[in-house]
């Protein structure tokens, strides 16, 4: 019976304690079932945020994902759905008789229905030295559960360099990998004899260990930590066998414990979690279901099982929403069979069911290739798959999960057929999957849900992804989601409108976007979002493209916003795989002098540059420079830097030309230098590589450049455009042949400007020229068919005039942290020194 309130509108009060993945998902499911008409919803979350994807914290730690990108429900979502969210407020107790929850801020909130979704906390064993008397955890000790934990770890890793991670399960390995990307040396200490012992057998664990060690992470197994050493700062950990591992960071990833203390203190039955029945009612300490109190998520114990993965939580949330809203009052949750598919420290791992044979007549088929980092094992009982473990290659995981979920009989010839289950054509495979197969594990979306969404009229991939959230977690299932959409739409998939947008967050194709930016005089990335993005919402993925476009359109009048730039464009150097940078002194046209060479050699000595390398673009690359050393290296070189990164005009490669070469028909070197000088630093939709050759022997490879110039008989010059010789190979198209270097200069600039104004973000000329057709490009650029030649010339001139040497920022950084220690983007071996 609903309590009466003064503002009674007939709705009941639903209170949800816990604003994590399960709590928020339950509320979403309730809203989908029209729950807003039945309930006034209030949520409490101890964390001071909206709802975020906890799974993605590993990516945030590793620098692969921004914090913004992991939010599932922003604060605006709560407002739009009239949900009262108490973010950053912990509920301290439940008064079951008065049907209220009391929070630590002193508030009391009445409920007609209460959902406990309090999740888990990191389990921290009671190891001496881990905590400092009266002050909680030692400042160098971290857990890995929340956004705040992740932030704290990142901050600390900036100034500390050696970590021990206690625990070699999924979380420990993810923490180890994440820390390593911050330049920290990591050792994982694991109690059992092999890594991820809960999911893998010993042989699989061994293969994983080899993979992890190959990344440079040390692993110590069968080891127990007995003490954390150090008074003010952590100095090491001591193991039970007496060994001491020196370190200044300790991360504890030794397991999780359900947050069930408020339930226990309020008279509910708590064992390893809050005990619930099949309708998610919490049981009281007499074992009787409380009709008004429910629990969902990781804090729950259902039929003796506690789940630590999201897929089961989604199933629980659906059942609970059915029950609460009365959509299906008889809905029941019967437990989940968990198949785990993970990327651990960059290594693919999947596991389901048992890891090893349990009965004498269980079949166990194992393929183990430690040197290739591959391990596959399946356990078959009575012709059914009861367990599988895969490390390093998940190609066959979908059919294995399917066979495991369905309990379907397996073929006779196990080795040949079992490992070939996935080789059927994709459409057949998709058609055969049962509706209840989970396609997206992160968001718990089944094939049936996707198909229903398509049948409901959403026939584009992004539309389905938005509506169902399939593919919007870790993204690893996106291909499969696309296949299901295609299958369900029977091939009639709508081409996404957004595919024609210049950037994903602003819904206009480039031409319209350019017109609007000009009309409205939008000179900063944030102004573009405010004026043109739906709801004025900023989108991190769109920032770089918009920055480039604005600079193309406004030159020096752009309002520079540094967060709109990629790291390379912020520090004006090319980030390398180990997080160091490369410095490329400018050598226009590939020409240098003994003085420059001497200076380069001196700088290399002074800064102990690990690697000096000639580039494909006729320059010298000084590799392995730390971010904080960049300003000094530039200062010591006292030479302009060359553009070796970013989406901009790069180099002009030249051959010897008529000055020295006996075949030379034109002075290719001088023309190349002139072009490079004029257009240096110009932003463009993608990089631009040019070349000038002194004769058709083409020693500078001009036919395969974005713009290639070739001297021909009679003192004339051919201009070739849209060539490529990288991952994509294409001979350019002849744009025109002209009589003078001056015409080359003008037409090159006009071509580049036309490309800058009309190409899509990241579209190279080798795609853009064929898209428009060389005849069209020629008509506009050479014959001025659209009457815009003068405007293009003027626009490129304005950009040339606006050029400012970005390396001057060495003396006057644009932002305080510009040249602070670099955080490597991915964990990879150091740049090799030969
Ligand atoms: C780094 C990391 C990586 C992971 N990777 C994977 C993965 O790859 N695949 C996978 O399936 N799972 C993964 N998981 C596990 C997954 O995140 C959890 O299963 C899931 O978040 C549990 O959801 P939940 O809502 O039950 O708990 P949580 O998401 O923990 O939410 C509970 C919320 O309740 C709040 N709360 C607790 N007590 C109170 C109180 N008294 N008052 C108010 N608020 C309270 C907490 O602050 C918390 O925000 C990962 C977890 C972590 C930490
Ligand atoms: S392209 Fe012609 S001019 Fe240039 S170096 Fe080769 S042969 Fe000589």
């Amino acid at each position: 019976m609903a309590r009466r309130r003064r503002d009674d509108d007939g709705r009941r009060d639903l209170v949800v304690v816990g604003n994590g993945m399960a709590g928020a998902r339950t509320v979403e499911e309730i809203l989908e079932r029209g729950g807003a008409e039945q309930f006034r919803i209030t949520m409490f979350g101890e964390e001071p945020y909206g709802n975020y994807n906890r799974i993605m914290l590993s990516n945030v730690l590793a620098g692969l994902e921004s914090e913004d990108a992991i939010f599932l429900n922003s604060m605006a979502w709560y407002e739009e759905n009239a949900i009262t969210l108490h973010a950053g407020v912990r509920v301290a107790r439940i008064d079951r008789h008065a049907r209220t929850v009391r929070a630590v801020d002193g508030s009391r909130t009445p409920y007609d229905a209460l959902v406990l979704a309090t999740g888990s906390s990191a389990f921290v064993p009671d190891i001496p030295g881990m905590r400092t008397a009266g002050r909680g955890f030692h400042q160098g000790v971290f857990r890995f559960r929340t956004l705040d934990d992740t932030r704290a770890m990142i901050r600390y890793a900036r100034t500390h360099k050696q970590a021990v991670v206690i625990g070699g399960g999924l979380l420990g390995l993810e923490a180890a990998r994440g820390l390593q990307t911050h330049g920290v040396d990591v050792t994982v200490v694991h109690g059992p004899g092999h890594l991820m012992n809960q999911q893998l057998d010993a042989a699989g664990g061994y293969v994983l260990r080899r993979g992890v060690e190959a990344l440079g992470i040390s692993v110590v197994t069968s080891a127990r930590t007995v003490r954390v050493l150090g008074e003010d700062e952590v100095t090491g950990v001591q193991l039970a066998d007496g060994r001491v591992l020196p370190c200044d960071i300790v991360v504890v990833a030794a397991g999780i414990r359900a947050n069930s203390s408020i339930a226990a203190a309020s008279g509910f039955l708590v064992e390893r979690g809050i005990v619930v029945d099949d309708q998610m009612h919490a049981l009281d300490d007499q074992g009787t279901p409380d009709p008004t109190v429910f629990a969902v998520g990781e804090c729950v114990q259902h039929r003796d099982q506690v789940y630590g993965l999201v897929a089961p939580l989604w199933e629980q949330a659906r059942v609970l929403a059915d029950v609460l809203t009365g959509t299906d009052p008889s809905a029941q949750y019967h437990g989940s069979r968990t198949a785990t598919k993970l990327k651990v420290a960059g290594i693919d791992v999947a596991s389901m069911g048992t890891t090893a044979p349990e009965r004498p007549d269980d079949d166990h088929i194992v393929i183990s290739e430690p040197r290739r980092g591959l391990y596959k094992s399946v356990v078959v009982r009575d012709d059914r798959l009861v367990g599988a473990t895969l490390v390093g290659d998940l190609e066959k995981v979908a059919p294995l999960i399917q066979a495991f979920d369905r309990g379907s009989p397996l073929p006779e010839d196990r080795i040949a057929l079992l490992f070939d289950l996935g080789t059927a054509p994709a459409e057949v495979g998709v058609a055969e999957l049962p509706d209840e197969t989970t396609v997206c594990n992160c968001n718990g979306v089944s094939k049936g849900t996707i198909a229903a969404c398509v049948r409901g009229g959403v026939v584009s991939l992004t539309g389905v992804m938005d509506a169902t959230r399939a593919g919007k977690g870790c993204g690893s299932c996106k291909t499969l989601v696309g296949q299901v959409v295609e299958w369900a739409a029977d091939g009639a998939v709508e081409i996404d409108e957004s595919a024609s947008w210049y950037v994903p967050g602003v819904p206009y194709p480039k031409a319209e976007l350019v017109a609007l930016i000009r009309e409205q005089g939008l000179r900063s990335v944030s102004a573009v979002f405010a004026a043109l993005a739906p709801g004025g919402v900023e989108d991190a993925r769109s920032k770089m493209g918009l920055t480039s476009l604005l600079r193309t359109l406004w030159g020096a009048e752009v309002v520079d916003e540094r967060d709109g730039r990629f790291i390379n464009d912020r520090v004006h150097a090319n980030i390398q795989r180990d997080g160091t940078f490369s410095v490329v002194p400018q050598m226009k046209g590939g020409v240098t002098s003994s003085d420059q060479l001497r200076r380069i050699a001196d700088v290399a000595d002074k800064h102990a540059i690990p690697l000096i390398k000639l580039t494909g673009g006729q320059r010298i690359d000084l590799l392995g420079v730390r971010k904080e050393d960049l300003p000094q290296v530039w200062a010591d070189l006292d030479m302009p830097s060359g553009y070796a990164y970013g989406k901009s005009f790069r180099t002009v490669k030249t051959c010897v030309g008529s000055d020295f070469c006996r075949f030379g028909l034109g002075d290719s070197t001088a023309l190349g230098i002139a072009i490079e000088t004029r257009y240096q630093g110009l932003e463009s939709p993608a990089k631009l590589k040019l070349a000038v050759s002194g004769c058709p022997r083409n020693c500078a490879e001009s036919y395969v450049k974005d713009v290639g110039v070739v001297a021909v008989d009679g003192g004339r010059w051919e201009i070739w455009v849209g060539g490529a010789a990288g991952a994509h190979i294409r001979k350019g198209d002849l744009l025109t042949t002209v009589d003078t270097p001056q015409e080359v200069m003008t037409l090159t600039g006009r071509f580049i400007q036309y490309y800058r104004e009309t190409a899509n973000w990241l579209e190279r000329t080798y795609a853009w020229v064929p898209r428009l057709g060389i005849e069209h490009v020629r008509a506009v650029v050479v014959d001025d068919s659209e009457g815009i030649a003068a405007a293009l010339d003027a626009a490129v001139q304005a950009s040339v005039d606006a050029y400012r040497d970005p390396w001057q920022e060495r003396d006057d950084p644009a932002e305080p942290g510009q040249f602070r220690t670099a955080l490597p983007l991915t964990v990879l071996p150091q740049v090799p020194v030969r």
Side-chain angles (χ1 to χ4, degrees):
M1 157 82 64
R3 69 191 54 249
R4 296 247 147 230
R5 297 197 340 177
R6 263 196 304 161
D7 59 343
D8 199 354
D9 52 9
R11 293 185 301 165
R12 290 176 291 159
D13 285 308
L14 171 66
V15 173
V16 181
V17 181
N19 183 30
M21 299 191 74
R25 183 56 171 254
T26 303
V27 170
E28 282 179 29
E29 297 279 351
I30 289 172
L31 294 175
E32 267 172 31
R33 289 162 179 73
E37 285 166 20
Q38 298 183 35
F39 296 109
R40 275 181 297 266
I41 303 173
T42 304
M43 297 187 76
F44 286 88
E46 197 175 355
E47 295 179 78
Y49 311 107
N51 166 243
Y52 61 86
N53 188 344
R54 203 171 297 285
I55 297 175
M56 289 297 174
L57 289 181
S58 307
N59 283 359
V60 172
L61 181 63
L64 300 170
E65 200 80 61
S66 71
E67 286 183 9
D68 290 351
I70 70 167
F71 275 87
L72 297 168
N73 298 107
S74 64
M75 292 294 188
W77 177 82
Y78 295 88
E79 231 163 80
E80 280 159 20
N81 289 288
I83 297 164
T84 307
L85 171 66
H86 298 284
V89 179
R90 179 181 154 74
V91 167
R93 54 167 298 146
I94 304 160
D95 186 341
R96 288 176 64 195
H97 300 292
R99 282 212 229 140
T100 53
V101 295
R102 189 170 334 144
V104 288
D105 62 1
S107 64
R108 281 170 187 272
T109 309
Y111 67 82
D112 296 302
L114 173 66
V115 175
L116 300 173
T118 46
S120 317
S121 299
F123 166 66
V124 183
D126 201 11
I127 298 172
M130 195 83 91
R131 294 177 171 83
T132 40
R135 281 192 291 141
F137 286 101
H138 199 302
Q139 62 151 335
V141 174
F142 299 88
R143 290 154 294 169
F144 188 23
R145 177 76 198 177
T146 64
L147 186 53
D148 286 350
D149 292 339
T150 312
R151 284 178 176 166
M153 244 190 288
I154 293 173
R155 260 198 314 271
Y156 207 73
R158 288 190 183 129
T159 47
H160 296 78
K161 289 288 151 246
Q162 222 174 351
V164 164
V165 174
I166 300 175
L170 164 71
L171 275 195
L173 294 174
E174 291 283 289
R177 180 185 76 144
L179 283 171
Q180 208 193 23
T181 59
H182 297 277
V184 174
D185 270 344
V186 190
T187 301
V188 173
V189 175
H190 191 50
H194 65 271
L195 294 178
M196 286 187 74
N197 55 297
Q198 293 205 0
Q199 289 89 358
L200 302 180
D201 60 14
Y206 172 70
V207 171
L208 177 63
R209 176 181 182 147
R210 281 182 62 117
V212 167
E213 286 176 336
L215 293 169
I217 296 171
S218 308
V219 177
V220 184
T221 48
S222 305
R224 199 161 52 84
T225 313
V226 293
R227 181 174 291 278
V228 173
L229 307 170
E231 285 289 309
D232 298 327
E233 294 254 313
V234 169
T235 57
V237 298
Q238 189 179 344
L239 305 183
D241 61 9
R243 267 181 296 174
V244 168
L245 304 176
C247 64
D248 45 18
I249 306 175
V250 172
V251 177
V252 189
I256 52 173
R257 289 289 177 272
N259 287 325
S260 50
S261 56
I262 54 165
S266 311
F268 292 99
L269 183 61
V270 170
E271 292 173 2
R272 283 185 302 137
I274 304 167
V275 181
V276 296
D277 67 8
D278 288 354
Q279 291 211 310
M280 312 310 294
H281 288 109
L283 308 188
D284 67 17
D285 43 20
Q286 305 302 312
T288 312
D290 184 322
T292 58
V293 181
F294 302 81
V296 67
E298 242 180 35
C299 61
V300 153
Q301 178 180 321
H302 172 263
R303 296 194 188 181
D304 284 337
Q305 289 292 322
V306 176
Y307 296 98
L309 294 168
V310 292
L313 317 186
W314 301 154
E315 294 175 38
Q316 296 174 358
R318 277 195 292 273
V319 169
L320 178 50
D322 280 344
V323 171
L324 263 171
T325 57
T327 311
D328 177 2
S330 61
Q332 292 196 333
Y333 173 65
H334 292 146
S336 306
R337 300 191 86 188
T338 46
T340 326
K341 196 170 129 230
L342 305 159
K343 224 182 183 52
V344 186
I347 301 161
D348 286 317
V349 175
S351 123
M352 60 205 84
T354 174
T355 55
E358 290 165 342
R359 297 185 191 166
D361 54 356
D362 281 349
D363 290 337
H364 190 202
I365 302 146
V366 179
I367 294 182
S368 180
E369 296 178 84
R371 275 192 299 166
R372 288 181 60 210
L374 293 181
Y375 179 80
K376 300 177 185 182
S377 116
V378 292
V379 183
V380 181
R381 182 177 304 157
D382 303 331
D383 276 346
R384 305 285 194 278
L385 183 68
V386 293
T389 308
L390 305 174
V391 179
D393 173 14
L394 301 193
E395 208 193 318
K396 305 292 181 230
V397 74
L400 287 175
I401 290 181
Q402 187 187 336
F404 176 72
D405 278 348
R406 291 163 88 177
S408 44
L410 293 176
E412 285 271 301
D413 183 357
R414 298 278 149 71
I415 296 187
L417 292 174
L418 193 56
F419 285 90
D420 262 341
L421 279 175
T423 52
E427 319 82 68
V428 178
V430 165
E432 279 176 354
L433 291 178
D435 267 6
E436 58 278 10
T437 308
T438 305
V439 173
C440 169
N441 264 316
C442 291
N443 283 312
V445 188
S446 66
K447 175 190 159 187
T449 308
I450 297 174
C453 180
V454 173
R455 280 183 222 114
V458 186
V459 280
S460 73
L461 175 59
T462 40
V464 172
M465 285 173 64
D466 285 342
T468 63
R469 304 213 301 193
K472 289 201 144 185
C474 69
S476 65
C477 63
K478 220 168 138 183
T479 312
L480 188 55
V481 177
Q483 287 168 358
V484 176
V485 171
E486 238 170 66
W487 164 81
D490 209 8
V493 177
E494 237 169 45
I495 299 304
D496 249 319
E497 238 187 68
S498 64
S500 68
W501 300 348
Y502 173 66
V503 286
V506 186
Y508 297 100
K510 182 158 180 177
E512 280 174 53
L513 182 63
V514 167
L516 287 166
I517 288 174
R518 283 204 168 115
E519 252 167 55
Q520 300 184 26
L522 306 171
R523 285 180 168 71
S524 71
V525 171
S526 53
V528 173
F529 283 127
L532 305 177
V537 176
E538 301 215 344
D539 172 52
R541 297 161 305 158
S542 306
K543 289 186 176 178
M544 268 176 69
L546 287 175
T547 303
S548 163
L549 183 62
L550 291 177
R551 295 183 74 83
T552 300
L553 299 178
W554 300 115
E557 292 170 44
V558 161
V559 179
D560 190 14
E561 291 171 331
R562 288 273 153 163
D563 70 335
R565 299 181 179 204
F566 180 58
I567 176 76
N568 286 2
D569 293 294
R570 290 204 300 269
V571 303
H572 315 299
N574 199 7
I575 193 157
Q576 304 297 320
R577 59 194 292 182
D578 66 348
T580 60
F581 290 80
S582 68
V583 169
V584 184
Q586 193 173 55
M587 288 178 181
K588 291 179 188 167
V591 174
T592 184
S593 66
S594 58
D595 178 48
Q596 283 193 334
L597 291 173
R598 212 169 283 119
R599 244 181 300 152
I600 291 170
D602 287 345
V603 167
D605 282 348
K606 177 176 169 192
H607 292 275
I609 300 285
L611 182 68
I612 308 171
K613 168 99 181 61
L614 297 185
T615 72
Q618 294 182 331
R619 298 185 293 195
I620 293 176
D621 207 349
L622 304 175
L623 289 140
V625 182
R626 289 179 307 174
K627 187 176 168 199
E628 57 272 36
D629 296 339
L630 285 169
Q632 194 54 48
V633 171
W634 291 327
D636 290 342
L637 277 169
D638 198 20
M639 290 169 59
S641 202
Y643 287 82
Y645 63 86
K647 309 301 166 210
S648 66
F649 185 100
R650 296 275 181 93
T651 41
V652 183
K653 189 170 178 174
T654 65
C655 71
V656 185
S658 55
D659 256 7
F660 284 90
C661 178
R662 61 205 163 95
F663 301 107
L665 299 169
D667 190 350
S668 50
T669 311
L671 181 55
I673 292 173
I675 294 175
E676 188 166 339
T677 306
R678 181 167 165 75
Y679 299 118
Q680 63 184 326
L682 217 61
E683 290 86 4
S684 57
K687 62 186 171 190
L688 279 169
K689 291 179 162 185
L690 283 76
V692 184
S693 294
C695 83
R697 283 181 174 75
N698 187 29
C699 291
E701 298 157 352
S702 301
Y703 299 130
V704 287
K705 295 292 177 191
D706 292 291
V707 180
V709 180
V710 181
V712 290
D713 263 341
R716 307 188 76 211
W717 298 87
E718 289 176 347
I719 304 174
W720 296 76
V721 292
H728 189 96
I729 298 177
R730 178 176 193 266
K731 186 179 177 191
D733 297 317
L734 182 63
L735 180 71
T736 187
T737 306
V738 296
D739 294 327
T740 63
Q742 191 45 50
E743 285 171 275
V744 171
M745 191 72 83
T746 307
L747 289 182
T748 301
R750 196 181 296 163
F751 169 84
I752 290 175
Q753 185 64 19
Y754 188 46
Y755 166 64
R756 293 172 86 205
E757 291 192 13
T758 55
N760 292 323
W761 177 231
L762 303 182
E763 185 180 31
R764 288 286 301 267
T765 62
Y766 63 70
W768 174 78
V769 171
R771 179 161 70 80
L772 270 61
I774 184 64
E775 291 75 20
H776 173 83
V777 175
R778 188 181 297 123
V780 174
V781 173
V782 184
D783 307 327
D784 195 13
S785 61
E786 292 183 3
I788 58 170
L792 293 173
D793 293 346
V796 79
Q797 184 61 45
S799 292
V800 168
D801 293 343
Y803 177 72
R804 181 178 172 275
D805 178 356
W807 289 277
Q808 296 306 323
E809 284 174 11
R810 70 178 188 230
D811 301 324
D812 183 16
E815 53 187 14
Q818 190 173 5
F819 298 113
R820 248 185 240 141
T821 325
L823 304 179
L825 295 178
T826 48
V827 195
L828 288 162
Q830 299 278 304
V831 171
V833 180
R834 291 170 214 280

